[in-house]
Amino acid sequence: MNFRKLKFLNKKIENILKNSSLVSEMSTNISKGDVYIVKKVFKENWIERLKIYLINVGQNSIPNYQNIRHGTPNFHRINRNDKRAYVQGCFHQFAFFPWNQDYFNLFKESKHIYFLKNLLSGIKKTKFIGHTPDDNCIARISIQFYPAGEGFLNRHSDPVDYHQLVVPMLIMSKIGKDFHDGGAFFVNQKGISENIEKLVSEGDVIFFNAGLLHGVKTIDKDCKLRWTDFKGRWSMLFAVNKLEENSLIGNSIDLG
């Protein structure tokens, strides 16, 4: 699916949830390829404190991948062109699950994001976000850091199925301040990748169709990569993922 239009909303998520006609309109438009940017959902100082914490974790513990099962601990891992990945990229990922504790109460802070994600996807608003899996799926908060010098994510589409239509993404960095080139893009019907970084601010949440062709262009490709400096682009995905044993839902498709 290709990107169609960009739409901005200066409304609180809680107020959007109360407006059923707006939710219905958003769902219809997102299913056709529109992307919504809801402004100033999270405060910048909260995001900056979270990044400081994650940098501490990333600099002082060994990254290790964990399969998604009931009871999987929160973890962080590095993907540097890992051929085992469904989509090729270069990033540092921090993953959080609702059955684990965390200092920032991420699922409590983002519950309204998940409520809206589910309603836009035509799902009961509380589905998938409990402390146990639901229909072999579970909510997962995935924070992605793309390092200056090599950070990227190939053009791809993610699965749309009974678990989701919409993927919300929190912008945690600002082009011109945290990095200078590259960033998130969507592909339109002419085959042109549209970089959206100059149109968003730290704290905005983007709601888009998981099936859209999207990715991340290389961040500051002329820089020398230094993983532990944590200079680059940050974002947070409010995902619903299938468990390891779930064979009903497909995988993301890498389109290069």
Side-chain angles (χ1 to χ4, degrees), residues 12-23:
K12 291 185 176 181
I13 298 290
E14 294 90 331
N15 292 336
I16 296 174
L17 286 167
K18 295 174 184 176
N19 190 334
S20 59
S21 61
L22 176 57
V23 172

Side-chain angles (χ1 to χ4, degrees), residues 7 9 11 13-30 36 116 119-120:
K7 299 176 183 288
L9 286 175
K11 296 177 181 291
I13 298 290
E14 294 90 331
N15 292 336
I16 296 174
L17 286 167
K18 295 174 184 176
N19 190 334
S20 59
S21 61
L22 176 57
V23 172
S24 178
E25 178 186 329
M26 290 174 66
S27 179
T28 298
N29 290 335
I30 288 172
Y36 282 82
L116 184 54
L119 291 178
L120 292 172

Side-chain angles (χ1 to χ4, degrees), residues 1 87 155-159 210-214 251-255:
M1 173 173 283
V87 180
R155 182 177 59 121
H156 69 285
S157 64
D158 294 315
L212 280 183
L213 300 181
H214 62 285
N251 300 312
S252 298
I253 300 173
D254 191 327
L255 296 165

Side-chain angles (χ1 to χ4, degrees), residues 149-161:
E150 286 188 26
F152 80 97
L153 187 63
N154 268 358
R155 182 177 59 121
H156 69 285
S157 64
D158 294 315
V160 172
D161 212 302

